[in-house]
Amino acid sequence: MPGADKSSRVTFIVLRHMRAPLMTLVAVYATSMVGWVLIPGTAQGGATEPLSFFHAFYFLTYTATTTGFGEIPHPFSEAQRMWSIVSLYAGVLAWLYAVGAIIRLLQNPHFQQALAERRFVKEVRRLHEPFVILCGFGSTGSLLARGLNDAGHAAVVIDHDLDRIRAVPLRDYRVPVPSLCADAAVPEHLIEAGLLRPNCRAVVALTGNEQVNLKVAVTTRLLNPGVQVICQSTSVTNELSLASLGADVHIVDPFQTFARYLATVIQAPFLHNLTQWLVGARGASLELVTELPRGHWVICGYGRMGHWLHRALTEVGSTTTVIDPGSDDDGSENMPHLLRGRADRDMLRAAGIERAVGLIAGVDVDADNLGIILNARDLNPGLFVLVRQNSHRNEMLFSAAHADYIMQPSLTSARRILFLLTAPLLKPLFETLRQRHLDSGGESSIAAAAQLRETLGEALPRLLTVHCDEANCTALAAAAAACTRVTVGDVLRDPAARERRIAAVALVLVSGESTHVLPGPDQELQLGDAVLFCGSDSALRLLDATLNNEYTLAYLVSGVDPVRGVLLCRLLGHRGVFGQRPASDPG
């Protein structure tokens, strides 16, 4: 493994850089010792006695540490004292040379990078739980890291910006987040981040460079094809290249994601509330909001997402006027009701802001969006305002603007990636609920919100994806082996009081080729199924315990507490934990 030799690399750099200073120190000390041994000492008993090698080394040792014990083992001769002066000054100069070399080594950026990589590799090795590699720690990357950490998932960060990496240890993460300042396009750095480790779940490429994101995706697919790849891309060419890498590569276009999200808010506001509630957004509630007003809308900004907004508003029967300062050759010259220029007061009047029911401020500069809101509200105080917030740091300003909806592209992308990593079954949930909302005129949304509110109450929601296999659901596997039918309603019972339900609900159940959204209590659970549950922390812990405790699950299924103990089971003739469900108990 290339990342395993970082310790030897650091040692090699130290030895190579300190070779000359160490050899100088050795030469000075060796010469000093030889001189003391050869120079005649004072007369002792009629004969001169030179120092032995041991006494010469001893004298050199305590004088080099600035400790004075006198002239040992007997007073020195004048020649020995003169040689001591020369040796001491030479030793000081040699040490100054060595200390200077050490300082230069510590200040060397290559040595600092080698030390950082060694620490990084050690921290990654300590991760025994599944983790995600984040390539890029910008707005989207930092928001995603926070979401993963709050959900209890480990992450490893690589970014080329040193200031961003220095900010990682200052965050109040509950789970350690190893970080490295490096180029994620270099395969060695991905390997150091744990790409080849068996507990690496996914690699997320969120750098601002399209080519780097593509290189990260290609490297991951070649070195570890079993790892999921999520890549941010705003280029059609790169998206085609990424799509050719396989089904496990998910492409996230922040502009398209943001535009689709706005379209969903316009067509099905309940899904926006549900998303905010599931991620624990501040002030989020399942209370249904009023439908967005129908009528004339003014859209400020016509870029990659402009046509999505125009189409979404048109589908719900609204009319639009678009204000955009773009050029006449951007492909939109045939679009009706398009005004060229900046969205100032005069342009807003020309777009019909005084008779409009809604405004979308969707340009890529926060100051312009805030200015548009102020001018529009001054001309039409009752306007419904939907604004795009580009920088997360301007949250205070947008909160003060009192917009009806605030959308952040980076936050939208981060949430989508977070759901892909932690709850991939949310996609069919949102798609089905959106279609049901449109088909029923909102009645299905009211029913779904009522079910979630009744089950969870005021508890903070948490998501749990359960893969029904022998490793994750030992009790369910035992029930399947005994041909005992287990339903969703069974596992959601309270072990302390079987007639009660825990504060959790099954959102999605995938069984084979079938997908069940908000499955009923009679829906059977089988090995191989995948279920997305939503509930409180305590309820999900109870659910996990139920799925892995045969006695608890058998009691919840049958209503009879099974006999425990091998000897007692044999005496009573029981062959297993699970019995038949009583005919009077429909579950």
Side-chain angles (χ1 to χ4, degrees):
M1 182 175 175
D5 60 348
K6 292 302 171 185
S7 299
S8 59
R9 178 187 172 190
V10 172
T11 303
F12 174 76
I13 293 176
V14 171
L15 292 178
R16 184 181 61 183
H17 189 82
M18 296 299 298
R19 178 173 52 191
L22 290 176
M23 292 181 64
T24 301
L25 283 172
V26 171
V28 169
Y29 284 174
T31 303
S32 300
M33 291 176 59
V34 171
W36 277 315
V37 171
L38 297 180
I39 295 176
T42 57
Q44 300 292 330
T48 59
E49 182 179 349
L51 291 179
S52 64
F53 276 103
F54 173 75
H55 286 114
F57 177 72
Y58 180 56
F59 179 77
L60 179 65
T61 300
Y62 71 69
T63 53
T65 58
T66 68
T67 303
F69 289 142
E71 298 173 351
I72 298 176
H74 47 72
F76 289 174
S77 64
E78 298 299 330
Q80 287 178 321
R81 289 171 180 169
M82 180 58 67
W83 183 248
S84 298
I85 294 174
V86 174
S87 299
L88 292 176
Y89 279 108
V92 170
L93 294 176
W95 271 111
L96 289 176
Y97 174 44
V99 171
I102 294 175
I103 294 175
R104 289 194 301 272
L105 176 61
L106 295 177
Q107 294 178 340
N108 190 305
H110 298 288
F111 181 69
Q112 293 177 357
Q113 179 67 16
L115 287 177
E117 290 183 20
R118 184 176 69 169
R119 289 193 298 266
F120 178 69
V121 170
K122 290 183 177 180
E123 291 176 356
V124 173
R125 287 176 179 171
R126 297 192 191 104
L127 296 177
H128 300 292
E129 67 274 15
F131 63 89
V132 177
I133 301 177
L134 300 182
C135 301
F137 199 67
S139 298
T140 305
S142 60
L143 290 171
L144 179 58
R146 169 61 62 188
L148 288 171
N149 206 270
D150 290 344
H153 298 277
V156 176
V157 174
I158 302 178
D159 195 286
H160 70 282
D161 192 333
L162 183 58
D163 291 336
R164 294 175 182 173
I165 295 301
R166 287 174 175 172
V168 174
L170 303 180
R171 306 288 178 91
D172 55 337
Y173 290 136
R174 296 185 301 172
V175 181
V177 180
S179 57
L180 176 67
C181 181
D183 184 3
V186 179
E188 180 184 2
H189 295 154
L190 290 175
I191 295 176
E192 293 170 355
L195 176 60
L196 302 183
R197 294 180 62 85
N199 54 337
C200 179
R201 292 180 50 209
V203 176
V204 183
L206 298 173
T207 70
N209 190 313
E210 299 280 351
Q211 294 300 319
V212 172
N213 291 340
L214 179 60
K215 178 70 176 298
V216 169
V218 172
T219 301
T220 303
R221 295 295 292 162
L222 290 176
L223 297 183
N224 194 348
V227 171
Q228 183 182 11
V229 181
I230 301 176
C231 188
Q232 177 175 277
S233 177
T234 58
S235 170
V236 177
T237 303
N238 279 356
E239 289 179 5
L240 293 176
S241 300
L242 291 168
S244 65
L245 296 179
D248 288 337
V249 178
H250 300 273
I251 305 171
V252 176
D253 186 339
F255 298 104
Q256 186 177 6
T257 301
F258 178 54
R260 287 180 175 176
Y261 192 63
L262 285 180
T264 302
V265 171
I266 294 172
Q267 295 179 340
F270 165 71
L271 293 185
H272 169 72
N273 282 9
L274 178 60
T275 303
Q276 296 286 95
W277 180 73
L278 287 176
V279 299
R282 186 184 308 171
S285 173
L286 285 176
E287 297 294 335
L288 293 181
V289 298
T290 305
E291 293 284 342
L292 269 68
R294 309 292 178 90
H296 184 65
W297 282 71
V298 177
I299 303 176
C300 300
Y302 185 78
R304 290 175 59 89
M305 63 183 182
H307 66 283
W308 290 91
L309 303 178
H310 173 73
R311 185 173 67 180
L313 287 170
T314 303
E315 289 177 354
V316 297
S318 297
T319 60
T320 62
T321 297
V322 178
I323 302 175
D324 189 83
S327 61
D328 294 333
D329 57 352
D330 60 0
S332 59
E333 65 277 359
N334 296 325
M335 179 180 174
H337 309 295
L338 173 64
L339 302 179
R340 291 296 183 188
R342 294 180 59 83
D344 53 17
R345 295 176 69 90
D346 294 336
M347 191 65 71
L348 288 173
R349 283 195 182 97
I353 194 65
E354 295 173 342
R355 62 181 176 86
V357 297
L359 167 75
I360 297 178
V363 300
D364 55 1
V365 179
D366 284 344
D368 291 345
N369 286 330
L370 293 171
I372 292 171
I373 294 176
L374 294 176
N375 288 325
R377 280 269 173 81
D378 186 49
L379 296 172
N380 188 347
L383 204 61
F384 191 96
V385 175
L386 193 153
V387 62
R388 168 182 171 181
Q389 178 184 337
N390 297 282
S391 175
H392 187 67
R393 297 179 178 179
N394 295 327
E395 182 178 1
M396 183 181 299
L397 298 178
F398 281 89
S399 298
H402 300 294
D404 296 282
Y405 278 113
I406 301 175
M407 299 298 179
Q408 300 181 44
S410 59
L411 183 58
T412 303
S413 298
R415 284 177 176 173
R416 182 186 176 189
I417 298 173
L418 180 64
F419 287 153
L420 284 174
L421 293 173
T422 61
L425 297 182
L426 279 177
K427 182 178 180 180
L429 172 69
F430 288 144
E431 291 177 348
T432 303
L433 290 181
R434 179 178 181 273
Q435 190 59 45
R436 290 180 182 177
H437 177 88
L438 297 177
D439 295 340
S440 65
E443 294 182 2
S444 64
S445 299
I446 297 176
Q451 179 182 355
L452 292 173
R453 285 199 304 269
E454 179 182 359
T455 304
L456 272 73
E458 299 298 327
L460 187 65
R462 290 285 185 263
L463 296 175
L464 174 66
T465 301
V466 176
H467 297 280
C468 301
D469 51 30
E470 295 182 359
N472 298 301
C473 302
T474 56
L476 183 62
C483 299
T484 300
R485 184 174 181 268
V486 179
T487 65
V488 172
D490 291 330
V491 299
L492 293 179
R493 295 180 185 272
D494 190 346
R498 182 175 177 271
E499 66 278 2
R500 291 202 310 249
R501 303 285 178 177
I502 61 176
V505 61
L507 297 179
V508 182
L509 187 149
V510 177
S511 179
E513 300 296 329
S514 302
T515 300
H516 307 275
V517 174
L518 296 176
D522 293 330
Q523 183 67 45
E524 184 178 0
L525 286 178
Q526 299 177 347
L527 288 182
D529 292 353
V531 190
L532 176 63
F533 291 97
C534 177
S536 62
D537 281 332
S538 58
L540 294 183
R541 285 195 294 269
L542 282 176
L543 174 64
D544 181 70
T546 297
L547 293 173
N548 289 280
N549 189 306
E550 297 182 23
Y551 294 98
T552 301
L553 183 59
Y555 165 70
L556 296 180
V557 169
S558 64
V560 178
D561 196 5
V563 177
R564 301 168 187 261
V566 177
L567 180 58
L568 188 58
C569 287
R570 289 185 176 181
L571 291 176
L572 298 179
H574 291 278
R575 296 184 179 180
V577 174
F578 289 93
Q580 297 296 326
R581 180 193 299 275
S584 60
D585 185 6

